[in-house]
Amino acid sequence: MRSTKRDEIVAAATDLIRSDGVRAASIAKIIAASGSSAGSVYHHFENKNDIVLAVARGALVEPLEAALAAHEDEALAPGALLRLMAGAVLDGTLHSSLIVQLWAGAADEPQLALIIRDQMEGVRARTTGGLAAYLRAQGVVDAEGRATIIAMLTMGQMMGMLAQRTLLAEFDVEAYLDSAATMLDATAGA
């Protein structure tokens, strides 16, 4: 598929954010890195947060939603769901360093935090729905309520894996996933 100017701008912003962080990825740097004019950038995006949102959607939200959607007809245990989400990172679809940079940018910019939070709501809702289906199949009373809590724990484990994978040189992803999956499955009574 042929890339568009919009795709080139998002790709340049993605590289800048991954290497330098959200704050350092100024509109001027995005223009230079993408080989675009200011007019072209502002034709496709209203402002820098709009570009960062496109980066977050393409790098985090869409791959996670696609992985979850591909298995939405399956009642996956929490540990299997964590492994599915982690697979999107481990297979190169997501880049943990980029995600950590997006989190750091969101921590620094309240408007960006709201934008990313809104986007992640869909991932959380899909995760909760999948877990509720699993818990109902297991005959768990209040499957929806339990699924809400276990979804938060599952996403927390995923975030922990991403942060540690980015920050720790000797991080053992497989050992982490084994332990986290066992803990999540125990929480669900699996």
Side-chain angles (χ1 to χ4, degrees):
M1 186 167 114
R2 190 168 179 260
S3 71
T4 65
K5 183 49 84 173
R6 184 182 194 285
D7 295 335
E8 292 170 9
I9 295 166
V10 172
T14 298
D15 291 342
L16 285 169
I17 292 168
R18 183 182 301 122
S19 65
D20 301 338
V22 172
R23 181 177 283 202
S26 67
I27 291 285
K29 285 184 180 179
I30 293 169
I31 289 168
S34 66
S36 300
S37 66
S40 180
V41 169
Y42 286 110
H43 170 75
H44 294 287
F45 301 98
E46 187 175 320
N47 54 38
K48 178 180 163 182
N49 279 348
D50 201 21
I51 298 170
V52 175
L53 172 60
V55 169
R57 282 207 52 77
L60 176 63
V61 176
E62 290 169 359
L64 285 175
E65 285 183 343
L68 293 168
H71 296 275
E72 72 184 349
D73 294 335
E74 303 170 37
L76 297 176
L81 193 59
L82 174 66
R83 286 186 179 284
L84 174 69
M85 294 168 77
V89 173
L90 301 175
D91 75 1
T93 303
L94 301 175
H95 298 278
S96 53
S97 60
L98 174 63
I99 296 164
V100 171
Q101 291 284 23
L102 288 168
W103 291 339
D108 196 39
E109 298 180 35
Q111 183 62 31
L112 181 58
L114 291 173
I115 292 168
I116 291 175
R117 184 178 306 133
D118 286 347
Q119 292 298 306
M120 288 302 295
E121 281 300 315
V123 173
R124 187 183 60 77
R126 251 190 216 282
T127 303
T128 302
L131 289 168
Y134 170 79
L135 294 171
R136 279 192 302 275
Q138 302 301 309
V140 171
V141 177
D142 187 28
E144 284 72 21
R146 293 267 312 272
T148 298
I149 300 300
I150 297 169
M152 286 190 287
L153 293 171
T154 303
M155 291 183 72
Q157 292 301 308
M158 181 68 183
M159 294 168 133
M161 183 197 80
L162 291 170
Q164 292 183 72
R165 183 171 185 248
T166 300
L167 300 172
L168 302 176
E170 306 261 339
F171 181 64
D172 186 341
V173 172
E174 285 307 314
Y176 179 89
L177 286 174
D178 288 343
S179 296
T182 298
M183 179 196 67
L184 289 168
D185 287 344
T187 301

